[in-house]
């Protein structure tokens, strides 16, 4: 949310970079990583279904938000759009802070050993293979995670309207939402 507010007041590459850094740190700490750790505390080896449901929420929002953001952007300005999004994110974050707990009030009966760990017991990979794996995931994320966001930007030079771009992002979000649910299950 703070990153979006920084974007709303930005007018140069340094300010946009600062906003990006703040957003990256926030996404890292409060996004998929934090959510996965939290759900692991609650559900143990049954967390994958819940992670699939939780991550599909961001894709579900991508179905409706592009049109709403486009309306705010065309009616007001880019800075105003960033500011409103930042305030909404901060309000939702505050609500989650008061509603979500690190551990459940009542114990959830699950094993902390994942099925993958049970199958892989005694098998270790070398450090080199581990670093190659991490680097490959980094490259995959660099393309896959941001691809849909920039896909819509390419529509303007191709002669399409902003509405078409918003609808394409919404359609991509539907596919992403379904994929996350299926992967979680």
């Amino acid at each position: 949310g703070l990153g979006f507010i920084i974007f709303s007041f930005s007018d140069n590459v340094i300010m946009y970079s600062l906003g990006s850094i703040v957003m990256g740190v926030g996404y890292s700490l409060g996004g998929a990583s934090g959510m996965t750790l939290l759900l692991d505390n609650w559900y143990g080896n049954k967390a994958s279904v819940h992670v699939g449901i939780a991550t599909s929420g961001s894709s579900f929002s991508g179905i409706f938000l592009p049109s709403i953001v486009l309306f705010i952007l065309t009616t007001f300005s880019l800075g105003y759009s960033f500011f409103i999004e930042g305030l909404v994110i901060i309000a939702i974050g505050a609500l989650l802070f008061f509603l979500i707990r690190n551990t459940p009030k009542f114990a959830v009966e699950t094993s902390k050993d994942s099925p993958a760990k049970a199958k892989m017991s005694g098998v270790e990979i070398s450090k080199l293979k581990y670093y190659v794996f991490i680097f490959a995931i980094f490259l995959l994320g660099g393309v896959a995670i941001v691809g849909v966001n920039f896909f819509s930007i390419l529509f303007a030079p191709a002669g399409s309207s902003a509405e078409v771009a918003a609808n394409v992002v919404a359609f991509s979000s539907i596919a992403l939402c379904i994929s996350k649910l299926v992967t979680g299950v």
Side-chain angles (χ1 to χ4, degrees), residues 9 25 32 34 44 55 70 85 89 106 115 131 138 163 169 183:
F9 294 108
V25 169
T55 58
L70 180 61
E85 287 181 78
I89 291 167
F106 301 102
Y131 289 126
F138 167 76
E163 290 80 13
V169 170
T183 301

Side-chain angles (χ1 to χ4, degrees), residues 86-152:
L87 291 180
V88 168
I89 291 167
I90 290 170
I92 292 170
L95 180 67
L96 291 174
F97 178 79
F98 289 109
L99 293 177
I100 295 177
R101 295 293 164 247
N102 194 35
T103 55
K105 193 171 190 173
F106 301 102
V108 177
E109 294 295 325
T110 60
S111 166
K112 291 302 277 183
D113 289 333
S114 71
K117 191 184 288 183
K119 291 177 191 171
M120 294 291 290
S121 62
V123 177
E124 290 188 30
I125 61 171
S126 68
K127 280 189 177 186
L128 177 63
K129 285 183 180 179
Y130 175 77
Y131 289 126
V132 168
F133 172 74
I134 295 298
F135 185 66
I137 294 297
F138 167 76
L139 293 176
L140 179 64
V143 174
I145 292 174
V146 298
V148 172
N149 299 324
F150 291 112
F151 187 59
S152 62

Side-chain angles (χ1 to χ4, degrees), residues 25-84:
V25 169
Y27 182 75
S28 172
L29 295 175
S33 300
M35 180 265 315
T36 302
L37 292 170
L38 179 73
L39 290 174
D40 186 58
N41 285 347
W42 278 70
Y43 299 104
N45 67 351
K46 304 224 184 285
S48 61
V49 172
H50 302 284
V51 169
I53 292 168
T55 58
S56 66
S58 62
S59 301
F60 186 73
S61 68
I63 297 168
F64 303 102
L65 283 182
S67 297
I68 295 168
V69 170
L70 180 61
F71 170 77
I72 294 170
L73 217 153
T74 56
T75 306
F76 301 102
S77 69
L78 179 62
Y80 186 78
S81 174
F82 278 135
F83 189 76
I84 295 299

Side-chain angles (χ1 to χ4, degrees), residues 3-45:
F4 272 94
I5 290 178
I6 292 171
F7 279 169
S8 73
F9 294 108
S10 297
D11 61 356
N12 60 59
V13 73
I14 294 172
M15 288 299 291
Y16 281 114
S17 297
L18 178 63
S20 296
I21 291 168
V22 170
M23 288 179 70
V25 169
Y27 182 75
S28 172
L29 295 175
S33 300
M35 180 265 315
T36 302
L37 292 170
L38 179 73
L39 290 174
D40 186 58
N41 285 347
W42 278 70
Y43 299 104
N45 67 351

